[in-house]
Amino acid sequence: MPPPGAAPVPAPPSRPPGSAYAGLNRVSTQALTSLAQAAAGAELGIRPGDVRADWSDDAGLLALRIVAPIAIPDLSAAGAPVDVPAWGGSVWERCAMAKGRILESVSRLSGATLSRVDIRVSGIRTERRPAVLGRPVEGLHG
């Protein structure tokens, strides 16, 4: 409180939300890798720990390379071609869709600009319940 008769001291200027502050923000490679593993795991229907993610420079942008297994139906649970759509399509179709979703998720959540996502399927994980790109589909083969 200023003494009586003293001029009031102006408040420091406030900064609007999102304005620049001095300093540096940096997202570590490990944080980006963990984010990529989580996004890929969700899209491929597997645990993030089963995903290997590597980064490379692509003309100044980040290129993401994923090596991971993919969840597929147990052959006794989805033995007919009619059951494949409940799983999101063939392995090829699911990987094609997963690339775009992983790129969008990692870019949106990290703020990084990715040029592309490459996926190499290294194996399979069989599941009894259908999963469309990592999301369970209720009501099919229980």
Side-chain angles (χ1 to χ4, degrees):
M1 185 91 159
V9 178
S14 64
R15 293 185 183 257
S19 67
Y21 288 95
L24 176 66
N25 292 329
R26 183 172 296 180
V27 178
S28 73
T29 303
Q30 181 58 46
L32 281 173
T33 299
S34 295
L35 177 57
Q37 290 171 318
E43 292 301 327
L44 300 174
I46 58 171
R47 294 179 309 118
D50 290 339
V51 177
R52 190 172 75 223
D54 297 307
W55 301 94
S56 62
D57 181 276
D58 185 23
L61 300 176
L62 288 173
L64 174 59
R65 180 174 176 255
I66 298 291
V67 178
I70 190 169
I72 65 164
D74 182 319
L75 296 180
S76 65
V82 71
D83 294 328
V84 173
W87 281 80
S90 68
V91 169
W92 183 266
E93 293 167 329
R94 290 177 55 210
C95 286
M97 288 179 54
K99 284 192 230 183
R101 290 179 178 179
I102 293 167
L103 186 143
E104 194 277 327
S105 292
V106 173
S107 294
R108 180 175 37 83
L109 293 171
S110 70
T113 304
L114 277 63
S115 62
R116 70 175 194 269
V117 174
D118 298 322
I119 298 176
R120 186 175 114 212
V121 177
S122 62
I124 60 167
R125 299 288 188 267
T126 56
E127 302 276 332
R128 290 204 60 79
R129 293 183 61 195
V132 178
L133 297 173
R135 295 167 186 89
V137 176
E138 299 300 325
L140 293 174
H141 301 290

